[in-house]
Amino acid sequence: MVDPTLAEMGKNLNEAMKMLEDNQRYVQRITTIKQYLFVGQDMVSILQLVQNLMHGEEEEESSQAYRLQNVGEQGHMALLGHSLAAYISVLDRERLRKLTTRILSDTTLWLCRLFRYENGSAYYHEDDREGLLKICRLVIHTRYEDYTVEGFNVLYTKQPVIYISSAARTGLGQALCNQLGLPLSCMCRVPCNTMFGSQHQMDVALLDRLIKDDVESGKLPLLLVANAGTPGAGHTDKLGRLKELCEQYNMWLHVEGVNLATLALGYVSSSVLAATKCDSMTLTLGSWLGLPAVPAVTLYRHEDPSLSLAAGLTSSQPVEKLRALPLWLSLQYLGHDGIVERIKHASQLVSSAWLVGWLVEDELSSPVVVFKFYQKYLNRGPTSVHFFNWALSLQLGEQLAQLVPASGVDVVELEDEGTCVRFSPLMTSAVLGTEIQDVDQLVDCLKMKIPVLTSTLQLREEFEQEVRRTVGLLYIEDLSWPGLGVVRYIFHDGKNDDKQEKELEKINTELLKKLNELESDLTFSLGPEFGGQKNCVYIGMVTEDLDVSELVETIAATGREIEENSRLLENMTEVVRKGIQEAQLQLQKANEERLLEEGLLRQIPVVGSVLNWFSPFQASPKGRTFNLTAGSLESTESTYVSKAQGTGTTPPPTPTSSLTKQRLPGQKIFKRSLRNSDAFSETSSVSHCEDLEKTDQRPPPLSPGQEQRSPETEKPEQQQQEGAQTPNKAQVPSLQDYLMHKLCFGYIKS
């Protein structure tokens, strides 16, 4: 017989998980406080509200990719454990004590056998640092017999020292000191090997000297935190030698790290197998097995239960022992074979990723692969090389994480290697559901990105040289930009004031817009959101077939064209302003002459009307028209005679520049000719093959500085008769006609 309450709980949990995982279902957000606080809701409405808060609006789902955990049946068992723990806590005390004791003992026994840790006890905790904190308190109670009575006084007489590796996770030492109430001087960071061995393994010889110095100064070596898989590169310390050193100085050895997961496999490397002899270890089974909301476990060996109780490793409250229930259910569901299979699958993923390369020296069994982009830059100093490699490695890691999100790659910062890309399937594969094909896709994307990064780095210096010898362009040194480079268009006069700064910003903004309108494979942007230079054009990644000279020439020519058009408009505005002032003076003078010619009597309202009736005054109309081309006022006599407005002098053409050169049909701009190239990268070849399928309708190119001419410009008389306009002169005549009709005939008339 099944308990009806348990059956109903399992049914409700199953329905709730289906509803919450259905992220395609639209749920209207409840916005008013009255709707979801003061008015009771049914279970379906509440779950719909939770679903909406989890997944957000539909617009957010379409624009952002989420890394949702792959919650399978084993995940549902872990979630069911939290519901069961709340239900079991209402049982009577005796029944609750028996049940929690059975769950705790079974889980501890399974974990000790699974990870080869004999005669161990277990402490289950939510925060993965909490287990180490409790162990530190246990060691303090053990080494200081009067600590329970005297407190900090016994620590003051003989200061304790905790040793951690410099490769440990950030902030671990400070967090321990804050929780234990110890000064930071009680924490000693042990450097890693720099000359012999791995650069991420703890220097045992140096640790020995540090311990001797502390003993001679009256301090008490208390505990050593070692790594079986450092947080960054996955290196394992020399645990065997460290254990011997701890026994020599009566110190406690605590081990943590992702490599502890391999203890469950049939074959374990000797470096990791030595962790089974340590005094305590912390296991994070949730990330290793893809179990949501399961606690971390700290296994330890200690003979005095009273001290364990004083340190908080054990509890007399049965409810606290229910922390192990979600893990107990998950282990029951997976079984020994299921757990080993998941860890083995992650190890196989690492074997596939070894094709890329690794930084784990003498650690071929490590389930972590760390790699970075590196290439010598001969004409640069070591600082520039470091910054270039850092920027490109960061760009590589971000692109790989975006292209293959199921791989779980991320970017880490190592002390010696700098920025690297890390692939740690034990921490991500079970959560994200990573498969072999995902790793193959990761390797393919990496092989595709490496030639682009290499060509970008190689062409960067050529781009800088081209920009520096081009008039009107300023090269901006930005070592943190992982693209081809940064350029700024500048004026020729060299002035530096607020007006010119605004004009410079306007021209570079328009330049960026014009460059993005070109049909090219390059990306032009304003740079990073934070820390980027102002009024600059940032050029992204490039391929090896880039024509750098054409790119720089195009940028300079486009900038000059924008500047000349801007100056032409400013000059035309000034000419119009002066013409209007001159027209006002001539109108005033014409009015005075008309008064003298008509006489004073004709200006009197009544007398003038009678006089004009008896003796009408005949005056020829005198008007003025403003010629934008010549910048002068002209008489309108010809207009009144011919009843048509004259065209006047042909306006000058709009400044243009040659932005292209001779290219093959379908060849995009800034690309070198395929006929003269013997070898191209795989990405470049694919790009060209796609481009050749299209038809290019661009006009023949011109040499720099050559005036662009057309059949219409070669025959100006025929053009005037037919009333046609060339494309290059379209903007100026339209502006001239507008100002002549609106300004001249509106303000300059008799």
Side-chain angles (χ1 to χ4, degrees):
M1 297 293 293
V2 180
D3 191 340
T5 305
L6 292 178
E8 184 68 19
M9 183 185 302
K11 179 181 178 181
N12 292 338
L13 178 64
N14 188 28
E15 294 178 354
M17 291 302 301
K18 288 182 179 179
M19 184 176 298
L20 293 177
E21 290 174 354
D22 184 14
N23 57 0
Q24 301 296 330
R25 184 176 179 180
Y26 174 74
V27 180
Q28 185 177 4
R29 179 177 294 232
I30 301 176
T31 55
T32 60
I33 299 178
K34 181 178 179 180
Q35 283 181 296
Y36 63 87
L37 267 185
F38 301 116
V39 179
Q41 302 288 332
D42 56 6
M43 179 179 177
V44 176
S45 300
I46 296 175
L47 290 178
Q48 288 178 348
L49 175 61
V50 174
Q51 178 201 21
N52 190 44
L53 295 175
M54 287 172 54
H55 301 293
E57 300 291 343
E58 290 185 343
E59 296 81 15
E60 298 177 357
E61 293 179 4
S62 59
S63 60
Q64 183 179 4
Y66 296 97
R67 277 190 178 185
L68 296 178
Q69 181 169 341
N70 185 22
V71 181
E73 291 187 5
Q74 74 281 356
H76 290 182
M77 295 300 297
L79 299 177
L80 179 62
H82 292 277
S83 302
L84 286 176
Y87 174 67
I88 293 174
S89 63
V90 301
L91 298 177
D92 61 89
R93 188 175 184 83
E94 183 63 23
R95 187 179 297 272
L96 177 62
R97 184 187 62 81
K98 292 181 180 180
L99 179 59
T100 54
T101 302
R102 170 66 182 274
I103 293 174
L104 192 63
S105 60
D106 287 352
T107 308
T108 302
L109 179 61
W110 294 341
L111 292 176
C112 290
R113 289 182 177 179
L114 185 64
F115 293 97
R116 309 185 184 194
Y117 197 81
E118 300 178 356
N119 301 324
S121 302
Y123 172 66
Y124 303 89
H125 46 92
E126 302 297 334
D127 188 355
D128 53 0
R129 297 177 299 184
E130 186 179 353
L132 177 58
L133 176 63
K134 300 293 186 181
I135 291 296
C136 291
R137 289 178 177 172
L138 173 63
V139 180
I140 291 176
H141 280 87
T142 304
R143 299 297 302 274
Y144 295 93
E145 297 179 358
D146 300 332
Y147 179 75
T148 306
V149 180
E150 299 293 335
F152 71 93
N153 290 327
V154 296
L155 303 180
Y156 178 76
T157 57
K158 202 167 187 179
Q159 180 178 343
V161 182
I162 300 175
Y163 302 89
I164 64 173
S165 172
S166 59
R169 44 185 167 166
T170 306
L172 178 61
Q174 184 176 2
L176 291 178
C177 290
N178 293 338
Q179 294 295 326
L180 295 173
L182 299 176
L184 292 179
S185 58
C186 294
M187 191 63 54
C188 178
R189 294 179 60 87
V190 183
C192 296
N193 291 343
T194 56
M195 297 181 61
F196 304 100
S198 170
Q199 295 182 352
H200 300 273
Q201 289 181 339
M202 192 182 301
D203 193 333
V204 182
L206 181 57
L207 173 63
D208 191 8
R209 292 196 298 268
L210 292 174
I211 296 176
K212 290 180 180 179
D213 294 341
D214 291 336
V215 172
E216 293 176 358
S217 60
K219 298 180 181 181
L220 179 63
L222 195 67
L223 181 139
L224 171 64
V225 182
N227 292 298
T230 55
H235 290 219
T236 300
D237 292 327
K238 298 178 176 61
L239 300 179
R241 296 182 58 188
L242 293 178
K243 178 59 179 177
E244 296 175 358
L245 195 62
C246 290
E247 292 177 350
Q248 178 182 350
Y249 292 99
N250 193 21
M251 294 173 55
W252 186 284
L253 177 61
H254 179 83
V255 181
E256 59 182 20
V258 65
N259 292 354
L260 293 176
T262 59
L263 290 173
L265 300 178
Y267 171 77
V268 186
S269 63
S270 58
S271 59
V272 180
L273 189 61
T276 58
K277 304 299 181 181
C278 65
D279 299 299
S280 60
M281 65 170 62
T282 297
L283 310 175
T284 55
L285 297 170
S287 56
W288 299 348
L289 304 178
L291 303 175
V294 297
V297 185
T298 296
L299 302 179
Y300 65 96
R301 297 189 185 98
H302 199 266
E303 299 177 355
D304 194 343
S306 61
L307 294 182
S308 300
L309 181 62
L313 288 169
T314 57
S315 175
S316 58
Q317 299 296 328
V319 177
E320 294 188 8
K321 298 179 181 180
L322 290 175
R323 292 181 182 176
L325 182 57
L327 189 57
W328 183 82
L329 291 176
S330 301
L331 295 178
Q332 289 272 12
Y333 179 83
L334 291 174
H336 180 273
D337 295 338
I339 296 174
V340 173
E341 184 63 28
R342 286 177 175 267
I343 299 176
K344 184 178 179 180
H345 173 68
S347 302
Q348 292 175 350
L349 294 178
V350 175
S351 301
S352 300
W354 277 350
L355 298 174
V356 179
W358 58 92
L359 293 176
V360 185
E361 301 89 349
D362 300 328
E363 291 284 347
L364 299 181
S365 60
S366 174
V368 180
V369 175
V370 180
F371 54 92
K372 68 175 182 179
F373 177 81
Y374 175 79
Q375 182 173 352
K376 282 189 176 182
Y377 211 64
L378 301 179
N379 298 330
R380 292 284 183 174
T383 305
S384 299
V385 174
H386 170 75
F387 274 104
F388 284 143
N389 291 329
W390 166 79
L392 293 177
S393 297
L394 180 62
Q395 180 79 0
L396 176 63
E398 293 176 351
Q399 290 181 354
L400 291 177
Q402 184 178 5
L403 293 174
V404 194
S407 63
V409 296
D410 59 350
V411 179
V412 294
E413 191 72 25
L414 302 182
E415 184 176 357
D416 298 312
E417 284 81 9
T419 302
C420 300
V421 182
R422 179 180 60 183
F423 176 62
S424 180
L426 261 178
M427 300 297 295
T428 60
S429 63
V431 174
L432 300 176
T434 310
E435 299 294 339
I436 295 294
Q437 55 267 24
D438 297 322
V439 181
D440 296 338
Q441 183 181 359
L442 176 65
V443 176
D444 294 339
C445 291
L446 188 60
K447 293 179 179 179
M448 179 183 65
K449 291 295 180 182
I450 290 300
V452 179
L453 297 178
T454 304
S455 59
T456 301
L457 188 59
Q458 292 174 347
L459 294 175
R460 189 169 180 132
E461 183 177 4
E462 181 182 353
F463 175 76
E464 178 181 354
Q465 294 175 357
E466 289 287 343
V467 171
R468 292 190 184 278
R469 61 171 169 254
T470 302
V471 179
L473 296 182
L474 177 64
Y475 181 80
I476 305 299
E477 186 76 18
D478 191 349
L479 300 179
S480 62
W481 176 247
L484 182 63
V486 186
V487 65
R488 175 187 297 162
Y489 185 82
I490 58 177
F491 294 113
H492 305 294
D493 49 13
K495 296 181 180 179
N496 187 12
D497 51 12
D498 295 339
K499 182 179 179 181
Q500 179 176 344
E501 188 69 22
K502 293 180 180 179
E503 188 67 20
L504 182 67
E505 179 181 359
K506 180 180 178 181
I507 291 179
N508 282 277
T509 303
E510 185 67 19
L511 174 61
L512 176 62
K513 180 181 178 181
K514 293 289 185 181
L515 292 176
N516 283 323
E517 292 175 356
L518 298 177
E519 297 180 0
S520 66
D521 294 332
L522 302 182
T523 57
F524 304 93
S525 64
L526 294 175
E529 183 178 0
F530 303 101
Q533 296 285 341
K534 295 182 178 179
N535 304 332
C536 295
V537 176
Y538 284 74
I539 305 174
M541 298 289 180
V542 298
T543 53
E544 61 180 354
D545 59 345
L546 174 69
D547 194 335
V548 178
S549 59
E550 181 186 0
L551 172 62
V552 176
E553 177 190 348
T554 302
I555 296 175
T558 306
R560 286 193 299 269
E561 179 179 347
I562 297 173
E563 180 187 0
E564 292 173 359
N565 289 335
S566 177
R567 292 183 183 276
L568 178 62
L569 184 59
E570 291 180 359
N571 295 335
M572 186 179 298
T573 305
E574 183 66 19
V575 169
V576 171
R577 186 183 65 83
K578 292 181 179 180
I580 292 176
Q581 293 177 355
E582 183 180 353
Q584 290 176 348
L585 294 177
Q586 293 187 12
L587 286 175
Q588 184 179 0
K589 184 178 179 180
N591 289 332
E592 294 175 356
E593 294 177 353
R594 185 173 60 85
L595 289 176
L596 294 176
E597 184 179 358
E598 293 180 357
L600 181 60
L601 293 177
R602 293 183 182 273
Q603 308 305 319
I604 301 174
V606 179
V607 178
S609 299
V610 176
L611 186 60
N612 288 332
W613 184 75
F614 282 104
S615 177
F617 180 80
Q618 299 294 333
S620 60
K622 296 180 180 180
R624 298 291 185 271
T625 180
F626 184 71
N627 192 334
L628 291 177
T629 304
S632 61
L633 288 174
E634 299 177 356
S635 176
T636 59
E637 183 178 357
S638 60
T639 303
Y640 285 100
V641 172
S642 61
K643 305 300 182 180
Q645 184 178 353
T647 57
T649 308
T650 303
T654 304
T656 58
S657 59
S658 62
L659 304 182
T660 59
K661 68 175 185 178
Q662 185 65 37
R663 294 189 301 274
L664 297 176
Q667 182 182 356
K668 288 190 175 182
I669 191 172
F670 309 140
K671 297 293 185 180
R672 287 196 287 263
S673 176
L674 294 176
R675 296 177 180 175
N676 299 329
S677 178
D678 296 333
F680 287 93
S681 63
E682 180 180 355
T683 56
S684 302
S685 302
V686 173
S687 176
H688 284 303
C689 291
E690 294 177 353
D691 296 340
L692 288 175
E693 297 177 358
K694 303 178 181 179
T695 303
D696 193 358
Q697 301 295 337
R698 297 181 179 274
L702 303 174
S703 60
Q706 182 180 353
E707 183 180 0
Q708 183 174 356
R709 301 187 61 85
S710 61
E712 290 80 2
T713 59
E714 295 177 359
K715 300 179 181 179
E717 298 178 356
Q718 181 181 357
Q719 176 185 352
Q720 293 178 3
Q721 295 175 0
E722 297 176 354
Q725 294 180 346
T726 61
N728 292 333
K729 302 177 183 178
Q731 297 180 355
V732 176
S734 61
L735 181 59
Q736 178 185 3
D737 293 341
Y738 176 81
L739 292 176
M740 291 177 66
H741 284 82
K742 297 297 182 180
L743 293 178
C744 301
F745 287 93
Y747 297 97
I748 310 173
K749 60 183 179 179
S750 58

